[in-house]
Amino acid sequence: MERITHWIDGKPWDQATVSTRTAPVHDPATGQVTAHVDLADDDVVQRAVASARAASLTWRRSSLSQRTQVLFAFRHLLAAATHELADVITAEHGKVLSDAAGEVTRGLEVAEFACGIPHLLKGSFSEGVSTGVDVHSIRQPLGVVAVISPFNFPAMVPLWFVPLAIAAGNAVVLKPSEKDPSASLVLARLWAQAGLPEGVFTVLQGDRVAVDGLLTHPDVKAVSFVGSTPVARHVYETGTAHGKRVQALGGAKNHMLVLPDADLDLAADAAVNAGFGSAGERCMAISALVVVEPVADALVARIAERISRLRTGDGRRGCDMGPLVTAEHRDRVVGFVEQGVAAGAELVVDGRLVEPDGDAGGYWLGPTLFDRVTPQMTVYTQEIFGPVLSVLRVSTYDEGLALVNDHPYGNGTAIFTHDGGAARRFQYDVEVGMVGVNVPIPVPMAYYSFGGWKSSLFGDSHAHGAEGIQFFTRGKVVTTRWPDPSHGGLNLGFPTHE
Ligand code: NAD
């Protein structure tokens, strides 16, 4: 049985001294245990952070051209490894291969953005702020930063943070999800091949013990977390209480608002793609479809017809949708379906009846469509994180907008309409961090920043883009005088411009 371990000091951790706690890693399409992953205890956390700390002291002094060379090499190697990574992701997460390759591509975009670090780190300069005095600003790395990632994007989410943090001169300790830990080790190997010095990128495999060890370690200066809202809140509160800079991205319940003038075929395609892609295990998945009457009957019929054409099965067989990540998670999502039925929602398509193209032991649940869901039902109030799409019928735009704004989550949302005025009003009024206009999954490009509002993000920095650079550096302002000719003089007053 394969043993998946940590990556410390630029190489796989010595097997002889691995911690005794491990967790099984499954192939979700078969239900088989394919490996065991080491779960770090405190001694390994200490060792990983010490290695990163030592490396950060040298790496922060590396020139921008040295860093850029490593980043360009990493970008090149990552692009070449797309299919290798996709295979690894599909084997442990279950998403279909094309989707796995897609997440690598979106992560690659951040690596490309980070290649521009010499420009991104430029400070500002003011000549002559006082007689013979100049001021300039610089941004410097923080030291050791931790990245804690969820199961649903084992390559893309680490790549939202790691290239920028490294480009800015930090050392990174990545704690991936224990459910699909192998992609992190492919990334580690690529960084090493790209010429990154030992210890600048570390992978710490583990569970909450490793997370809490990082959150309380005095040498960890910042934490980028992505995961469910309860854990994001814990990470934010614990990390900030220990003096760290924290950005903690949490869960989601993304609404798609369809106005009566929308192109219903476009809207139906979008709802199905964004609702069931990656089996709904995307933080930007659409899970609530809010339809302004009188078009709900027509839209629901179109969606149901499209679902009937989807193939659920093993992600390696060219299917449209794969299994859920674990048996427990599949059962939890089925529990939500049962609650929806019990609460009186109309079950238009029942994913429990799916006949998958895959092994009987896989964690299957087909696309599920509920109509006439009300705001009180748990299928609406809770994040389900599975292939369950709920339709809510409203009478007006304002009623639809109020639903979106009253929901505790505020990650992504979309409006479908031909009315530019309504779309413009929506983008202004909606209390959500990422908005699509006739675009169902509005994930920003790397040079913009990714993140939600309300219970979808704790902290004040979003991921990547300008906010990413800001997060992984701290500012310094330098006031300079080169006396010429030299003269001083005593003056105990507060310095002002002269
Ligand atoms: P999770 O919260 O269970 O786990 C995330 C990370 O935290 C993992 O590395 C895990 O090992 C660790 N962890 C789990 N429980 C912990 C605890 N009690 N204490 C400390 N650490 C703990 O999330 P998940 O199931 O891996 O991922 C799915 C969730 O992530 C969904 O809620 C989804 O919406 C969210 N997500 C959000 C975004 C976003 O950008 N906002 C992106 C992707 C996923």
Side-chain angles (χ1 to χ4, degrees), residues 11 33 43 51 219 229 254 278 282 324 364 426 450 458:
K11 53 186 175 304
V33 174
D43 54 335
S51 165
D219 285 340
T229 287
N254 303 311
S278 199
R282 290 181 184 145
L324 277 88
W364 307 113
F426 183 72
F450 181 107
F458 301 89

Side-chain angles (χ1 to χ4, degrees), residues 446-498:
Y447 35 93
Y448 285 84
S449 297
F450 181 107
W453 288 14
K454 303 189 280 188
S455 295
S456 295
L457 188 137
F458 301 89
D460 51 13
S461 291
H462 291 193
H464 59 68
E467 292 186 45
I469 291 294
Q470 189 88 11
F471 185 79
F472 289 122
T473 55
R474 53 185 170 169
K476 201 179 256 182
V477 181
V478 184
T479 303
T480 308
R481 170 159 53 196
W482 293 104
D484 183 23
S486 174
H487 66 278
L490 288 176
N491 180 355
L492 269 59
F494 197 66
T496 55
H497 61 88
E498 292 157 8

Side-chain angles (χ1 to χ4, degrees), residues 122 130 247 251 306 324 331 399:
K122 275 183 190 163
S130 181
Q247 51 180 185
R306 283 162 171 76
L324 277 88
D331 295 346
E399 209 186 317

Side-chain angles (χ1 to χ4, degrees), residues 21-224:
R21 289 193 312 126
T22 63
V25 177
H26 296 88
D27 179 342
T30 64
Q32 299 292 314
V33 174
T34 53
H36 285 96
V37 59
D38 286 327
L39 302 177
D41 285 319
D42 195 53
D43 54 335
V44 186
V45 176
Q46 297 296 336
R47 185 58 211 272
V49 175
S51 165
R53 163 102 179 114
S56 75
L57 298 177
T58 315
W59 183 242
R60 76 188 291 276
R61 296 183 183 283
S62 59
S63 69
L64 288 175
S65 45
Q66 239 178 309
R67 292 186 213 166
T68 313
Q69 276 175 27
V70 172
L71 283 154
F72 269 94
F74 176 73
R75 185 259 160 225
H76 183 71
L77 290 162
L78 182 61
T82 300
H83 294 295
E84 178 193 352
L85 265 166
D87 287 344
V88 166
I89 294 167
T90 297
E92 293 182 354
H93 175 286
K95 65 176 73 176
V96 302
L97 280 172
S98 56
D99 199 35
E103 80 157 275
V104 179
T105 302
R106 294 309 305 262
L108 185 70
E109 290 166 5
V110 185
E112 287 169 350
F113 176 64
C115 288
I117 194 67
H119 178 71
L120 297 167
L121 276 188
K122 275 183 190 163
S124 53
F125 185 88
S126 297
E127 186 183 47
V129 297
S130 181
T131 308
V133 177
D134 306 324
V135 173
H136 68 276
S137 66
I138 50 181
R139 297 206 67 85
Q140 296 191 320
L142 304 173
V144 178
V145 303
V147 173
I148 300 159
S149 57
F151 80 83
N152 67 318
F153 284 112
M156 184 185 77
V157 166
L159 288 167
W160 278 353
F161 307 103
V162 175
L164 276 185
I166 287 178
N170 301 286
V172 179
V173 178
L174 169 65
K175 206 303 281 173
S177 169
E178 61 276 42
K179 296 191 178 99
D180 44 14
S182 292
S184 64
L185 296 174
V186 177
L187 296 177
R189 194 195 77 221
L190 299 178
W191 279 116
Q193 288 171 350
L196 189 71
E198 283 175 12
V200 179
F201 181 64
T202 297
V203 178
L204 185 66
Q205 307 289 2
D207 55 8
R208 64 173 303 168
V209 173
V211 172
D212 288 343
L214 292 168
L215 290 176
T216 53
H217 198 299
D219 285 340
V220 174
K221 301 301 179 192
V223 178
S224 298

Side-chain angles (χ1 to χ4, degrees), residues 346-433:
E346 187 183 312
L347 188 56
V348 181
V349 180
D350 186 350
R352 296 171 297 182
L353 307 176
V354 73
E355 290 178 12
D357 178 1
D359 192 283
Y363 310 138
W364 307 113
L365 178 65
T368 299
L369 180 64
F370 276 121
D371 193 5
R372 299 183 190 280
V373 169
T374 65
Q376 295 73 34
M377 294 178 182
T378 51
V379 284
Y380 177 70
T381 57
Q382 304 296 308
E383 178 182 42
I384 297 177
F385 220 57
V388 181
L389 184 62
S390 296
V391 175
L392 293 93
R393 297 173 175 231
V394 294
S395 308
T396 63
Y397 163 87
D398 286 324
E399 209 186 317
L401 177 71
L403 270 179
V404 187
N405 284 353
D406 288 347
H407 207 284
Y409 292 113
N411 212 41
T413 189
I415 185 168
F416 275 69
T417 180
H418 276 128
D419 182 341
R424 190 165 182 276
R425 196 174 142 197
F426 183 72
Q427 73 172 37
Y428 186 81
D429 287 335
V430 78
E431 292 175 21
V432 170

